[in-house]
Coordinates of all heavy atoms in Angstrom, one line a residue:
S122 N -18.0 100.9 26.6 CA -17.1 99.8 26.7 C -17.3 98.8 25.6 O -16.7 97.7 25.6 CB -17.3 99.1 28.1 OG -18.6 98.7 28.3
S123 N -18.2 99.1 24.7 CA -18.5 98.2 23.5 C -17.9 98.9 22.3 O -18.3 100.0 21.9 CB -20.0 97.9 23.3 OG -20.2 97.5 22.0
L124 N -17.0 98.2 21.7 CA -16.4 98.7 20.4 C -17.4 98.9 19.3 O -17.3 99.9 18.6 CB -15.2 97.8 19.9 CG -13.9 97.9 20.7 CD1 -13.0 96.7 20.3 CD2 -13.2 99.2 20.4
R125 N -18.3 98.0 19.3 CA -19.4 98.1 18.2 C -20.3 99.3 18.4 O -20.6 100.0 17.5 CB -20.2 96.8 18.2 CG -21.3 96.8 17.1 CD -20.6 96.9 15.8 NE -21.5 96.9 14.6 CZ -21.2 97.5 13.5 NH1 -20.1 98.0 13.2 NH2 -22.1 97.4 12.5
R126 N -20.6 99.6 19.7 CA -21.4 100.8 20.0 C -20.6 102.0 19.6 O -21.2 103.0 19.1 CB -21.8 100.8 21.5 CG -22.5 99.6 21.9 CD -24.0 99.7 21.8 NE -24.6 100.2 20.6 CZ -24.9 99.5 19.5 NH1 -24.6 98.2 19.5 NH2 -25.5 100.0 18.5
V127 N -19.3 102.1 19.9 CA -18.5 103.2 19.5 C -18.5 103.4 18.0 O -18.7 104.5 17.5 CB -17.1 103.1 20.0 CG1 -16.2 104.2 19.5 CG2 -17.1 103.2 21.5
E128 N -18.4 102.3 17.3 CA -18.4 102.4 15.8 C -19.7 102.9 15.3 O -19.7 103.7 14.4 CB -18.1 100.9 15.2 CG -16.7 100.4 15.4 CD -16.6 99.0 15.0 OE1 -17.6 98.4 14.6 OE2 -15.5 98.4 15.2
I129 N -20.8 102.4 15.8 CA -22.1 102.8 15.4 C -22.3 104.3 15.7 O -22.8 105.1 14.8 CB -23.2 102.0 16.1 CG1 -23.2 100.6 15.6 CG2 -24.6 102.6 15.8 CD1 -23.4 100.3 14.2
C130 N -21.9 104.8 16.8 CA -22.0 106.2 17.2 C -21.2 107.1 16.2 O -21.7 108.2 15.8 CB -21.6 106.5 18.6 SG -22.7 105.8 19.9
V131 N -20.0 106.7 15.9 CA -19.1 107.4 15.0 C -19.8 107.5 13.6 O -19.9 108.6 13.0 CB -17.7 106.8 14.9 CG1 -17.0 107.4 13.8 CG2 -17.0 107.0 16.2
Q132 N -20.3 106.4 13.2 CA -21.0 106.3 11.8 C -22.2 107.3 11.8 O -22.4 108.0 10.9 CB -21.5 104.9 11.5 CG -20.3 103.9 11.2 CD -20.8 102.5 11.2 OE1 -22.0 102.2 11.0 NE2 -19.9 101.6 11.1
N133 N -23.0 107.2 12.9 CA -24.2 108.1 13.0 C -23.8 109.6 13.0 O -24.4 110.4 12.4 CB -25.0 107.8 14.2 CG -25.8 106.5 14.0 OD1 -26.0 106.0 12.9 ND2 -26.2 105.9 15.1
A134 N -22.7 109.9 13.7 CA -22.3 111.3 13.8 C -21.8 111.8 12.4 O -22.2 112.9 12.0 CB -21.2 111.5 14.8
R135 N -21.1 111.0 11.7 CA -20.6 111.3 10.4 C -21.8 111.5 9.4 O -21.9 112.4 8.6 CB -19.7 110.3 9.8 CG -18.3 110.3 10.5 CD -17.5 109.1 10.0 NE -16.1 109.1 10.7 CZ -15.3 108.1 10.6 NH1 -15.6 107.0 9.9 NH2 -14.1 108.2 11.2
R136 N -22.7 110.6 9.5 CA -23.9 110.6 8.6 C -24.7 111.9 8.8 O -25.3 112.5 7.9 CB -24.8 109.4 8.8 CG -26.1 109.4 8.0 CD -26.8 108.0 8.1 NE -26.8 107.6 9.5 CZ -27.8 108.0 10.3 NH1 -28.7 108.9 9.9 NH2 -27.8 107.5 11.6
L137 N -24.8 112.3 10.1 CA -25.6 113.5 10.4 C -24.8 114.8 10.3 O -25.3 115.9 10.5 CB -26.1 113.4 11.8 CG -27.1 112.2 12.0 CD1 -27.4 112.0 13.5 CD2 -28.4 112.5 11.3
G138 N -23.5 114.7 10.0 CA -22.6 115.9 9.9 C -22.3 116.6 11.2 O -22.1 117.8 11.2
I139 N -22.4 115.8 12.3 CA -22.1 116.4 13.6 C -20.6 116.3 13.9 O -20.0 115.2 14.1 CB -22.9 115.7 14.7 CG1 -24.4 115.9 14.4 CG2 -22.6 116.2 16.1 CD1 -25.3 115.1 15.3
E140 N -19.9 117.4 14.1 CA -18.5 117.4 14.2 C -18.0 117.6 15.6 O -16.8 117.4 15.9 CB -17.9 118.6 13.3 CG -18.2 118.3 11.8 CD -17.6 119.4 10.9 OE1 -17.1 120.4 11.5 OE2 -17.6 119.2 9.7
N141 N -18.8 118.1 16.5 CA -18.4 118.3 17.9 C -18.8 117.2 18.8 O -18.8 117.4 20.1 CB -18.9 119.6 18.4 CG -20.5 119.6 18.5 OD1 -21.1 119.0 17.8 ND2 -21.0 120.3 19.6
A142 N -19.0 116.0 18.3 CA -19.3 114.8 19.1 C -18.2 113.8 18.8 O -18.0 113.4 17.7 CB -20.7 114.2 18.8
E143 N -17.5 113.3 19.9 CA -16.5 112.4 19.8 C -16.9 111.1 20.6 O -17.5 111.2 21.7 CB -15.2 112.9 20.3 CG -14.0 112.0 20.3 CD -12.7 112.7 20.8 OE1 -12.8 113.9 21.1 OE2 -11.7 112.0 21.0
F144 N -16.5 109.9 20.1 CA -16.9 108.7 20.8 C -15.6 107.9 21.0 O -14.8 107.7 20.2 CB -17.9 107.9 20.0 CG -19.2 108.7 19.8 CD1 -19.4 109.5 18.8 CD2 -20.1 108.6 20.9 CE1 -20.6 110.2 18.6 CE2 -21.3 109.4 20.7 CZ -21.5 110.2 19.6
K145 N -15.5 107.4 22.3 CA -14.3 106.7 22.7 C -14.7 105.3 23.4 O -15.7 105.2 24.0 CB -13.5 107.5 23.7 CG -12.9 108.8 23.1 CD -12.0 109.5 24.1 CE -11.3 110.6 23.5 NZ -10.3 111.3 24.5
F146 N -13.7 104.4 23.3 CA -13.9 103.1 23.9 C -13.0 103.1 25.2 O -12.0 103.8 25.3 CB -13.3 102.0 23.0 CG -13.1 100.7 23.7 CD1 -14.2 99.8 23.9 CD2 -11.9 100.3 24.2 CE1 -14.1 98.6 24.5 CE2 -11.7 99.1 24.8 CZ -12.8 98.2 25.0
Y147 N -13.6 102.4 26.2 CA -12.8 102.3 27.4 C -13.0 100.9 28.0 O -14.0 100.2 27.7 CB -13.2 103.3 28.5 CG -14.4 103.0 29.4 CD1 -14.2 102.5 30.7 CD2 -15.6 102.9 28.8 CE1 -15.2 102.2 31.5 CE2 -16.7 102.6 29.6 CZ -16.5 102.2 30.9 OH -17.6 101.8 31.7
D148 N -12.0 100.4 28.7 CA -12.1 99.1 29.4 C -12.8 99.3 30.7 O -12.5 100.1 31.5 CB -10.6 98.6 29.6 CG -10.6 97.2 30.2 OD1 -11.6 96.8 30.9 OD2 -9.6 96.5 30.1
P149 N -14.0 98.5 30.8 CA -14.8 98.8 32.0 C -14.1 98.4 33.4 O -14.6 98.8 34.4 CB -16.0 97.9 31.8 CG -15.5 96.9 30.8 CD -14.5 97.5 30.0
D150 N -13.0 97.7 33.3 CA -12.3 97.4 34.5 C -11.2 98.4 34.9 O -10.4 98.2 35.8 CB -11.6 96.0 34.3 CG -12.6 94.8 34.2 OD1 -13.6 94.9 35.0 OD2 -12.5 93.9 33.5
T151 N -11.2 99.5 34.2 CA -10.2 100.5 34.4 C -10.9 101.8 34.8 O -12.1 102.0 34.7 CB -9.3 100.8 33.2 OG1 -10.1 101.2 32.1 CG2 -8.6 99.5 32.8
S152 N -10.1 102.8 35.2 CA -10.6 104.2 35.4 C -11.0 104.8 34.1 O -10.5 104.4 33.1 CB -9.6 105.0 36.1 OG -9.2 104.4 37.4
L153 N -11.9 105.8 34.2 CA -12.3 106.5 33.0 C -11.1 107.3 32.5 O -10.3 107.8 33.2 CB -13.4 107.5 33.3 CG -14.8 106.9 33.9 CD1 -15.8 107.9 34.0 CD2 -15.3 105.7 33.1
P154 N -10.9 107.3 31.2 CA -9.7 107.8 30.6 C -9.7 109.4 30.5 O -9.4 109.9 29.4 CB -9.7 107.2 29.2 CG -11.1 107.0 28.8 CD -11.8 106.7 30.1
F155 N -10.0 110.0 31.6 CA -10.0 111.5 31.6 C -9.4 112.0 32.9 O -9.4 111.3 33.9 CB -11.4 112.0 31.5 CG -12.2 111.5 30.3 CD1 -13.2 110.5 30.4 CD2 -11.9 112.0 29.0 CE1 -13.9 110.0 29.4 CE2 -12.6 111.5 27.9 CZ -13.6 110.5 28.1
A156 N -8.8 113.2 32.8 CA -8.3 113.8 34.0 C -9.3 114.2 35.0 O -10.5 114.4 34.6 CB -7.4 115.0 33.6
D157 N -8.9 114.4 36.2 CA -9.9 114.9 37.2 C -10.5 116.3 36.8 O -9.8 117.1 36.3 CB -9.2 115.2 38.6 CG -8.6 113.9 39.2 OD1 -8.8 112.8 38.6 OD2 -8.0 113.9 40.3
G158 N -11.8 116.4 37.0 CA -12.4 117.7 36.7 C -12.5 118.1 35.2 O -12.5 119.2 34.9
Y159 N -12.5 117.1 34.4 CA -12.4 117.3 32.9 C -13.7 117.9 32.3 O -13.8 118.6 31.4 CB -12.0 116.0 32.2 CG -11.7 116.2 30.7 CD1 -10.5 116.7 30.3 CD2 -12.6 115.9 29.8 CE1 -10.2 116.8 28.9 CE2 -12.4 116.1 28.4 CZ -11.1 116.5 28.0 OH -10.9 116.7 26.7
F160 N -14.9 117.4 32.9 CA -16.2 117.7 32.3 C -17.0 118.7 33.1 O -16.9 118.7 34.4 CB -17.0 116.4 32.1 CG -16.4 115.5 31.1 CD1 -15.7 114.4 31.5 CD2 -16.7 115.7 29.7 CE1 -15.1 113.5 30.5 CE2 -16.1 114.8 28.8 CZ -15.3 113.7 29.2
D161 N -17.8 119.5 32.4 CA -18.7 120.4 33.1 C -20.0 119.7 33.5 O -20.7 120.1 34.4 CB -19.1 121.5 32.1 CG -17.9 122.4 31.8 OD1 -17.4 123.1 32.6 OD2 -17.4 122.3 30.6
G162 N -20.4 118.6 32.8 CA -21.6 117.9 33.1 C -21.5 116.5 32.5 O -20.7 116.2 31.6
A163 N -22.4 115.6 32.9 CA -22.4 114.2 32.4 C -23.8 113.7 32.4 O -24.7 114.1 33.2 CB -21.6 113.3 33.3
T164 N -24.1 112.9 31.3 CA -25.4 112.2 31.2 C -25.2 110.7 31.1 O -24.1 110.2 30.7 CB -26.1 112.7 30.0 OG1 -25.4 112.3 28.8 CG2 -26.3 114.2 30.0
A165 N -26.2 109.9 31.5 CA -26.1 108.5 31.5 C -27.5 108.0 31.4 O -28.3 108.2 32.3 CB -25.4 107.9 32.7
A166 N -27.8 107.3 30.2 CA -29.2 106.8 30.0 C -29.2 105.3 30.3 O -28.8 104.5 29.3 CB -29.7 107.1 28.6
S167 N -29.6 104.9 31.5 CA -29.7 103.5 31.9 C -28.4 102.7 31.5 O -28.5 101.6 31.0 CB -30.9 102.9 31.2 OG -32.1 103.5 31.7
S168 N -27.3 103.3 31.8 CA -26.0 102.7 31.4 C -25.1 102.3 32.6 O -24.3 101.5 32.6 CB -25.2 103.6 30.5 OG -25.0 104.9 31.0
I169 N -25.3 103.1 33.8 CA -24.4 102.9 34.9 C -24.6 101.5 35.4 O -23.6 100.8 35.8 CB -24.8 103.9 36.0 CG1 -24.4 105.3 35.5 CG2 -24.0 103.6 37.3 CD1 -24.8 106.5 36.4
E170 N -25.8 101.0 35.5 CA -26.1 99.6 36.0 C -25.6 98.5 35.0 O -25.6 97.3 35.4 CB -27.5 99.4 36.3 CG -28.4 99.5 35.1 CD -29.0 100.9 34.8 OE1 -28.3 101.8 35.2 OE2 -30.1 101.0 34.3
Q171 N -25.2 98.9 33.9 CA -24.6 97.9 32.9 C -23.1 97.7 33.1 O -22.5 96.8 32.5 CB -24.9 98.3 31.5 CG -26.4 98.3 31.1 CD -27.0 96.9 31.2 OE1 -26.4 95.9 30.9 NE2 -28.3 96.9 31.6
T172 N -22.5 98.4 34.0 CA -21.1 98.3 34.2 C -20.8 97.2 35.3 O -21.7 96.9 36.1 CB -20.5 99.6 34.7 OG1 -21.1 99.9 36.0 CG2 -20.8 100.7 33.7
P173 N -19.6 96.6 35.3 CA -19.4 95.6 36.2 C -19.5 96.0 37.7 O -19.8 95.2 38.6 CB -17.9 95.1 35.9 CG -17.7 95.5 34.5 CD -18.6 96.8 34.3
N174 N -19.2 97.3 38.0 CA -19.2 97.8 39.3 C -19.9 99.2 39.3 O -19.1 100.2 39.2 CB -17.8 97.9 39.9 CG -17.8 98.2 41.4 OD1 -18.7 98.8 41.9 ND2 -16.7 97.8 42.0
P175 N -21.2 99.3 39.4 CA -21.9 100.6 39.3 C -21.4 101.6 40.4 O -21.3 102.8 40.1 CB -23.4 100.3 39.5 CG -23.4 98.8 39.1 CD -22.2 98.2 39.5
R176 N -21.1 101.1 41.6 CA -20.6 102.0 42.6 C -19.3 102.6 42.3 O -19.1 103.8 42.5 CB -20.5 101.2 44.0 CG -20.3 102.1 45.2 CD -20.5 101.2 46.5 NE -20.4 102.1 47.6 CZ -20.6 101.7 48.8 NH1 -20.9 100.4 49.1 NH2 -20.5 102.5 49.9
K177 N -18.4 101.9 41.7 CA -17.1 102.4 41.3 C -17.3 103.4 40.1 O -16.7 104.4 40.0 CB -16.2 101.3 40.9 CG -14.8 101.8 40.4 CD -13.9 100.7 39.9 CE -12.6 101.2 39.4 NZ -11.7 100.1 38.9

Side-chain angles (χ1 to χ4, degrees):
S122 59
S123 164
L124 282 169
R125 186 57 181 155
R126 303 271 42 88
V127 172
E128 291 172 0
I129 294 297
C130 289
V131 169
Q132 290 172 13
N133 286 340
R135 287 175 179 168
R136 176 172 49 80
L137 296 168
I139 297 174
E140 298 181 350
N141 65 326
E143 180 182 351
F144 297 93
K145 293 185 176 183
F146 169 82
Y147 86 105
D148 184 335
D150 292 321
T151 63
S152 299
L153 301 187
F155 306 106
D157 295 359
Y159 187 83
F160 292 99
D161 298 287
T164 63
S167 297
S168 56
I169 294 173
E170 64 268 29
Q171 295 297 323
T172 63
N174 188 336
R176 190 167 185 174
K177 180 182 177 183

